[in-house]
């Protein structure tokens, strides 16, 4: 009890709050004083002054005088290179990033420049810095945008993207600061893990990571596995099964759980499928493959909806990142489900393969000794950042107070009444010329609403997963007089909405109308996403407004507060004004956030073990690759064979042959271990039904299996060394039947591998909130 109370008090005392500017008063005055003297220096002299800050060791952290010098130099460099003089709050953000915190700065307050100055500071301390962004566009844009500032500070900068060659990647990572998307940096880690020589690797040892949109990366995508796969001959697509499942009816042939995460055949449905497949017994051991194909096809048919979960473009399935409303590049479901969706849409199957290696985003970030980040919405997830990453949040006040007017929710009894009210509001507001930004929940809704606006005589521009290539241009003009923009999600768009358009030509005219008007067509599962949408209005002290429309029939309410009922009768327009309806909507969002947190915790318990095992094996792999350990081990295991070969063959050739053989078997054993763990995960739900604790059962299976790997590597390597043909040209692995995949590719798995965790999390959160409500009564 005392320990729990102490923890609560500590969390209360450490809760994030607006940074105390008084702490920085002295430093800011010193920076301004120093700035006045730096103005007189030439560019070369400015760069030389920055060089005096450079350290050789990453442990040489800056003291206060160094921070003053860095910020003064950075401010002057930005003024010369960008014609932008950083505000005091931007410099405070820079100093907080250099303190290893996650900085919250509102949209339009200059996070990109604050982050660049912090990255330069870390580089001058002697560290190699990775700046992680949410997509390739922002990585390229920000690196090139900030390049003149970096150059004046004597810091080199590079960037990587999906199209970068190996040589371009190696050059980018050799720079002091490297920009890249989370996925691309992660995929390079996976590629380097399969190199057989040090020279093939592109990255250096991780030292500092600065994360843009930190809450999105560290919380929303933390459990997403990045995967490297290798080609195999098998394709898991089954068009016959897809055709059978396509005619099944809900309620009659299959059931869905209330959360829409699982579907299963009824007895009648199983009979229909078994007859269609030739009278087989789906649940017999000999037909387990067919059962897996049926389950995947049913999931694709019953739970995944086109234009909501994915779109079809250029003959391929593209997943939608629900937190950003855009195509999730390089993401796919596990092979069986991916193939099932492709079969459902009657598309050619994509190449299938086996998983060679994987790492979660949380595991990727955990590789860096020093982590910091920036975002517009960190405060709401401060406890998660502390729990999972030991990071604190610093909330930086805006340079100019926000005067945006956020209206109370407008709640309706039905989705039809809500949509009619939204249309009426947009038509009336558009008639004044005030720009409107409408945030929708999915692609289908954005296109439906755009169609109805067109029918009402209101032209609009749609930004969703189908046209996200044009997003920068669309977002930049969303503040123009008379513009109406419909977007699926504004998180991570990375472009400011300036009143009066990109060049602010009609700023004053739009400001007089009240500025940008943001309309949400429903609440997102996370209040942070709501705040990110609202935050697009009222940048840098501009006027603006926001309002959310909601209904008790919204998916959020139906899924997370299914018992919701109105506290009063709706008016003639279908609107509800009672407090009870609002409480139900707020309750549903809290439940959704709680479920996500529980899933994060539970998934991390599984992946933490896997990544610990991978780390142990990687240490051994690195030693094999960089030393003569393989030769030493195989000489001991295969004494006679080693002695025989040593009399004809050069020692260096023999040593390299031993290294290649052991690296192959280490990689092969890890691939097989991942496949084993995947099989264990698929049976977790059965263990849960048997009232066994899934995580304990997972550990009981995973740990003993991993302990066998070192001996297995040694035994297989010795067997290969004795049998393989080894000449002065080296070892011929192919002749020995040891062939690495002919092609590899990378993707992100867009699924929670532990569905039972989601079900259990929902039950736990609902029970907890029920107890809280009963205590209040």
């Amino acid at each position: 009890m005392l320990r729990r109370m102490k923890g609560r008090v500590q969390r209360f005392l450490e809760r994030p709050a607006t940074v105390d500017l008084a702490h920085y008063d002295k430093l800011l005055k010193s920076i301004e004083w120093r700035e006045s003297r730096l103005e007189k220096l030439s560019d070369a002299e400015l760069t030389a002054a920055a060089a005096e800050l450079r350290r050789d060791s990453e442990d040489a952290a800056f003291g206060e005088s160094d921070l003053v010098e860095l910020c003064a130099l950075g401010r002057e460099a930005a003024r010369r290179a960008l014609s932008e003089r950083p505000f005091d709050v931007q410099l405070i953000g820079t100093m907080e990033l250099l303190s290893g915190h996650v900085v919250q700065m509102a949209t339009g307050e200059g996070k990109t420049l604050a982050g660049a100055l912090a990255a330069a500071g870390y580089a001058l301390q002697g560290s190699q810095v990775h700046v992680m962004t949410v997509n390739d566009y922002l990585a390229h844009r920000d690196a090139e945008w900030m390049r003149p500032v970096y150059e004046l500070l004597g810091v080199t900068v590079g960037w990587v993207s999906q199209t970068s060659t190996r040589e371009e990647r190696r050059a980018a990572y050799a720079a002091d600061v490297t920009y890249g998307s989370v996925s691309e940096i992660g995929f390079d880690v996976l590629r380097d893990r399969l190199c057989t020589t040090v020279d093939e690797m592109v990255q250096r040892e991780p030292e500092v990571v600065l994360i843009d949109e930190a809450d999105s990366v560290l919380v929303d995508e933390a459990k997403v596995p990045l995967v490297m796969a290798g080609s195999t001959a098998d394709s898991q697509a089954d068009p016959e099964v897809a055709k059978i499942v396509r005619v099944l009816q809900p309620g009659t042939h299959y059931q869905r759980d209330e959360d829409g995460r699982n579907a299963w055949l009824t007895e009648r449905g199983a009979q229909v499928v078994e007859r269609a497949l030739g009278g087989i017994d789906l649940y017999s051991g000999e037909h387990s493959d067919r059962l897996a194909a049926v389950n995947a096809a049913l999931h694709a048919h019953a739970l995944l909806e086109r234009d909501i979960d994915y779109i079809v473009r250029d003959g391929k399935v593209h997943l939608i990142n629900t937190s950003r409303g855009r195509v999730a590049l390089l993401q796919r479901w596990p092979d069986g489900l991916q193939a099932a969706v492709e079969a459902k849409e009657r598309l050619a199957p994509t190449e299938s393969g086996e998983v060679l290696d994987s790492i979660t985003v949380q595991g990727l970030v955990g590789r860096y000794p020093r982590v910091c980040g920036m975002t517009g919405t960190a405060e709401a997830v401060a406890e998660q950042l502390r729990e999972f990453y030991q990071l604190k949040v610093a909330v930086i006040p805006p340079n100019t107070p926000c005067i945006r007017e956020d209206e109370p929710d407008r709640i309706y009894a039905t989705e039809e009444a809500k949509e009619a009210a939204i249309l009426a509001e947009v038509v009336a507001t558009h008639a004044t010329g005030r720009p409107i930004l409408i945030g929708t929940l999915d692609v289908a809704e954005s296109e439906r609403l755009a169609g109805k606006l067109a029918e009402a005589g209101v032209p609009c521009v749609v930004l969703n997963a189908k046209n996200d290539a044009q997003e920068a241009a669309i977002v930049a003009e969303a503040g123009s007089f008379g513009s109406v923009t419909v977007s699926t999600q504004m998180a991570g768009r990375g472009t400011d909405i300036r009143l009066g358009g990109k060049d602010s030509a009609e700023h004053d005219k739009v400001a007089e109308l009240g500025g940008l008007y943001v309309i949400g067509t429903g609440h997102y599962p996370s209040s942070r996403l709501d705040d990110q949408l609202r935050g697009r209005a009222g940048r840098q002290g501009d006027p603006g407004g926001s309002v959310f429309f909601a209904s008790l029939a919204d998916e959020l309410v139906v899924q997370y507060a299914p018992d919701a009922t109105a506290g009063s009768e709706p008016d003639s327009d279908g609107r509800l004004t009672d407090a009870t309806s609002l409480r139900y909507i707020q309750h549903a969002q809290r439940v959704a956030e709680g479920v996500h947190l529980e899933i994060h915790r539970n998934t991390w318990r599984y992946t933490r073990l896997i990544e610990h095992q991978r780390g142990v094996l990687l240490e051994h792999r690195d030693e094999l690759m960089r030393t003569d350990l393989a030769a030493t081990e195989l000489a001991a295991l295969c004494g006679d064979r080693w002695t025989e070969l040593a009399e004809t063959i050069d020692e260096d050739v023999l040593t390299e042959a031993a290294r290649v053989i052991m690296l192959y078997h280490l990689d092969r054993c890890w691939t097989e271990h991942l496949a084993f763990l995947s099989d264990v995960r698929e049976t977790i739900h059965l263990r849960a039904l048997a009232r066994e604790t899934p995580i304990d059962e997972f550990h009981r299976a995973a740990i003993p299996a991993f302990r066998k790997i070192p001996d297995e590597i040694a035994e297989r390597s010795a067997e290969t060394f004795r049998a393989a043909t080894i000449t002065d040209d080296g070892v011929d692995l192919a002749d020995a039947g040891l062939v690495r995949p002919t092609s590899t590719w990378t993707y992100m798995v867009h699924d929670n591998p532990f569905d039972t965790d989601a079900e259990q999390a929902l039950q736990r959160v609902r029970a907890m909130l029920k107890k809280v409500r009963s205590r209040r009564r």
Side-chain angles (χ1 to χ4, degrees):
M1 176 67 74
L2 182 61
R3 185 179 300 169
R4 287 199 301 271
M5 181 62 70
K6 182 179 179 182
R8 289 172 187 160
V9 171
Q10 183 177 9
R11 286 195 295 273
F12 174 80
L13 292 176
E14 292 182 355
R15 72 186 190 278
T18 300
V19 173
D20 181 6
L21 290 181
H23 171 70
Y24 288 101
D25 277 350
K26 179 182 176 183
L27 293 181
L28 291 171
K29 289 176 181 177
S30 298
I31 291 169
E32 191 167 349
W33 178 86
R34 178 60 177 148
E35 178 190 2
S36 64
R37 283 146 181 79
L38 293 176
E39 290 175 352
K40 303 172 184 176
L41 300 182
S42 66
D43 287 357
E45 290 171 333
L46 190 73
T47 304
E52 293 179 8
L53 285 174
R54 190 173 282 275
R55 307 283 193 268
D56 294 328
S57 169
E58 62 187 80
D59 297 324
F62 283 170
E64 284 195 354
S65 61
D66 297 320
L67 282 176
V68 167
E69 184 71 359
L70 171 70
C71 289
L73 287 165
R75 176 177 269 174
E76 180 60 19
R79 187 186 66 79
R80 296 185 187 190
L82 306 176
S83 299
E84 294 181 13
R85 180 181 180 273
F87 298 122
D88 285 354
V89 291
Q90 286 175 283
L91 298 183
I92 293 172
T94 294
M95 289 185 276
E96 286 292 322
L97 287 168
L98 286 166
S99 298
H101 296 158
V102 172
V103 168
Q104 175 171 305
M105 296 175 68
T107 300
E109 290 295 310
K111 290 188 293 291
T112 303
L113 178 54
L117 296 183
Y122 278 119
L124 292 172
Q125 289 177 19
S127 296
Q128 208 262 331
V129 186
H130 291 171
V131 180
M132 286 186 182
T133 65
V134 294
N135 56 48
D136 284 355
Y137 165 74
L138 291 179
H140 179 202
R141 186 203 70 176
D142 291 354
E144 294 303 325
W145 182 14
M146 295 294 118
R147 184 181 295 279
V149 177
Y150 283 120
E151 289 177 346
L152 277 174
L153 296 175
V155 173
T156 58
V157 62
W159 53 272
V160 293
S161 73
Q162 293 179 54
T163 59
S164 299
T165 64
R166 180 174 289 273
E167 291 72 23
E168 288 169 341
R169 292 175 190 277
R170 190 175 288 111
Y173 288 117
D176 296 324
V177 178
T178 308
Y179 283 73
S181 68
V182 179
S183 57
E184 208 54 42
I185 290 175
F187 291 148
D188 281 334
V189 169
L190 295 179
R191 294 183 190 105
D192 277 358
R193 285 179 174 184
L194 292 179
C195 291
T196 56
T197 67
V198 175
D199 291 341
E200 294 175 9
M201 301 173 70
V202 299
Q203 287 194 359
R204 295 185 281 167
E205 280 296 307
E207 294 176 351
V208 175
V209 62
L210 190 158
I211 305 169
D212 194 11
E213 301 292 343
D215 57 329
S216 176
V217 172
L218 298 177
V219 176
D220 298 335
E221 298 184 359
K223 63 183 183 293
V224 174
L226 287 75
V227 175
M228 169 164 274
S231 58
T232 60
D234 299 331
S235 171
Q236 299 183 33
D238 197 332
E240 180 187 8
V241 170
K243 184 177 180 180
I244 295 168
V245 168
R246 196 174 286 125
V247 300
L248 300 182
Q249 299 299 313
T252 302
H253 300 117
Y254 64 87
Q255 299 284 347
R256 286 180 290 223
D257 63 15
E258 61 181 15
D259 308 314
R261 295 188 63 87
N262 293 283
W264 59 92
L265 292 173
T266 62
E267 184 175 349
R268 183 174 174 184
Q271 292 171 353
V272 169
V273 173
E274 287 174 338
R275 282 198 302 271
L277 291 174
I280 67 171
D281 179 359
L282 265 182
Y283 300 97
S284 66
E286 64 180 305
H287 295 299
S288 59
D289 289 347
R290 271 298 171 91
L291 177 60
V294 169
N295 285 335
L298 183 61
H299 189 119
H301 171 73
L303 304 179
L304 298 176
E305 190 171 343
R306 184 168 174 169
D307 287 345
I308 292 179
D309 300 294
Y310 64 93
I311 64 172
V312 175
R313 179 195 290 167
D314 301 327
K316 294 182 179 179
V317 170
H318 298 270
L319 278 63
I320 295 175
N321 184 317
T322 53
S323 68
R324 297 193 189 125
R326 67 180 74 187
V327 168
L329 295 175
L330 293 178
Q331 289 196 19
R332 58 182 281 163
W333 293 287
D335 277 343
L337 182 56
Q338 181 77 18
V341 175
E342 290 164 348
K344 166 189 173 182
E345 297 292 345
R346 299 178 175 87
L347 301 173
T350 54
E351 192 173 17
S352 65
E354 61 183 354
V355 175
L356 303 179
D357 201 1
S358 69
I359 186 172
T360 62
V361 172
Q362 185 161 347
L364 172 65
V365 173
R367 299 172 67 251
Y368 294 86
R370 303 182 74 177
V371 180
C372 62
M374 51 193 184
T375 179
T377 48
E379 192 171 6
V381 291
E383 188 144 346
Q384 294 181 57
L385 294 175
R386 180 165 47 230
E387 176 180 345
F388 296 113
Y389 303 96
Q390 295 75 55
L391 290 171
K392 294 182 180 180
V393 171
V395 181
I396 310 297
N399 184 59
T400 305
C402 179
I403 59 173
R404 184 185 65 244
E405 296 181 6
D406 298 324
E407 298 180 35
D409 283 3
R410 301 185 194 180
I411 303 172
Y412 294 81
T414 66
E415 287 188 316
E416 293 76 13
K418 179 187 76 171
E419 197 162 273
I422 292 171
L423 285 169
E425 181 72 3
V426 173
V427 169
T429 304
H430 177 65
T432 70
R434 186 181 186 184
I436 305 168
L437 172 65
I438 305 171
T440 62
L441 300 176
D442 54 59
V443 173
E445 184 186 25
S446 69
E447 294 185 337
R448 185 179 68 251
L449 184 58
K452 292 189 175 183
L453 286 172
E455 292 173 4
V458 178
C460 67
V461 179
V462 178
L463 175 57
N464 59 32
K466 291 186 176 180
N467 67 341
D468 56 9
Q470 294 83 39
E471 70 172 65
I474 293 174
V475 173
E477 294 299 334
S480 300
F481 179 82
S483 68
V484 177
T485 308
V486 180
S487 175
T488 44
Q489 230 303 319
M490 290 306 297
R493 295 293 183 189
T495 302
D496 274 354
I497 299 178
R498 299 175 182 270
L499 296 191
K502 185 177 181 180
D503 58 3
S504 301
E506 297 180 303
H507 177 280
D508 295 345
K509 182 178 181 180
V510 172
E512 289 175 3
L513 294 171
L516 181 66
Y517 187 28
V518 170
I519 296 177
T521 63
H523 285 287
Y524 296 98
S526 166
S527 60
R528 287 182 298 110
L529 298 181
D530 290 349
D531 292 341
Q532 287 166 4
L533 177 60
R534 282 194 184 97
R536 289 294 171 169
R539 64 179 291 280
Q540 294 187 3
D542 281 338
S546 74
V547 63
F548 275 80
F549 289 73
S551 85
L552 295 185
D554 285 351
E555 183 181 349
L556 177 71
V557 181
V558 172
Q559 185 170 351
Y560 295 107
D563 300 327
T565 55
S568 65
E569 289 296 317
D571 64 17
S572 58
D573 293 325
R575 186 171 178 180
L576 300 167
T577 56
D578 59 283
T580 301
S581 297
L582 175 61
R583 281 198 298 270
Y584 271 121
I585 290 171
Q586 294 171 337
H587 168 77
Q589 192 174 62
R590 285 196 300 272
V591 171
E593 291 174 332
V595 167
H596 180 87
L597 175 56
E598 282 296 302
I599 292 174
H600 187 168
R601 286 189 178 123
N602 292 337
T603 306
W604 181 233
R605 292 187 184 111
Y606 293 94
T607 56
R608 183 169 52 185
L609 173 64
I610 298 172
E611 287 173 0
H612 169 73
Q613 292 180 342
R614 185 51 169 154
V616 171
L617 210 57
L618 282 172
E619 287 184 12
H620 182 50
R621 192 184 195 283
D622 197 58
E623 192 175 3
L624 289 174
M625 188 169 63
R626 296 175 185 273
T627 71
D628 294 338
L629 177 63
T632 302
E633 291 193 6
L634 287 183
L637 290 168
C638 311
D640 292 344
R641 173 66 168 160
W642 185 275
T643 301
E644 174 192 339
L645 292 171
E647 296 175 357
T648 60
I649 297 176
D650 183 79
E651 182 180 358
D652 289 342
V653 174
L654 205 55
T655 298
E656 182 61 24
R659 179 182 296 115
V660 170
I661 288 170
M662 291 205 75
L663 285 175
Y664 173 87
H665 286 297
L666 184 150
D667 293 340
R668 186 68 228 162
C669 285
W670 179 248
T671 295
E672 293 171 3
H673 185 62
L674 287 178
F676 167 74
L677 296 181
S678 179
D679 290 340
V680 172
R681 287 201 298 260
E682 290 178 5
T683 63
I684 284 292
H685 67 286
L686 299 177
R687 299 169 192 263
L689 291 174
R691 298 195 178 279
E692 298 172 347
T693 305
I695 184 63
D696 292 341
E697 291 303 306
F698 184 80
H699 278 71
R700 289 190 187 105
I703 293 174
F706 179 74
R707 286 174 177 163
K708 296 176 184 177
I709 290 179
D711 289 340
E712 188 68 23
I713 294 170
E715 290 173 12
R716 293 185 187 184
S717 298
E719 182 180 344
T720 298
F721 188 80
R722 293 189 188 101
T725 300
I726 303 176
T727 67
D728 288 334
D729 295 326
V731 62
D732 187 347
L733 289 182
D735 185 61
L738 308 180
V739 182
R740 290 185 179 270
T742 55
S743 64
T744 61
W745 62 94
T746 51
Y747 59 90
M748 299 175 76
V749 177
H750 192 82
D751 193 21
N752 172 33
F754 309 104
D755 281 335
T756 51
D757 289 346
E759 299 163 23
Q760 294 170 7
L762 184 58
Q763 294 169 4
R764 282 195 294 270
V765 171
R766 283 177 175 164
M768 179 184 69
L769 291 174
K770 189 174 181 180
K771 287 180 181 177
V772 171
R773 287 199 303 273
S774 63
R775 286 174 185 165
R776 286 175 178 169
R777 294 194 188 103

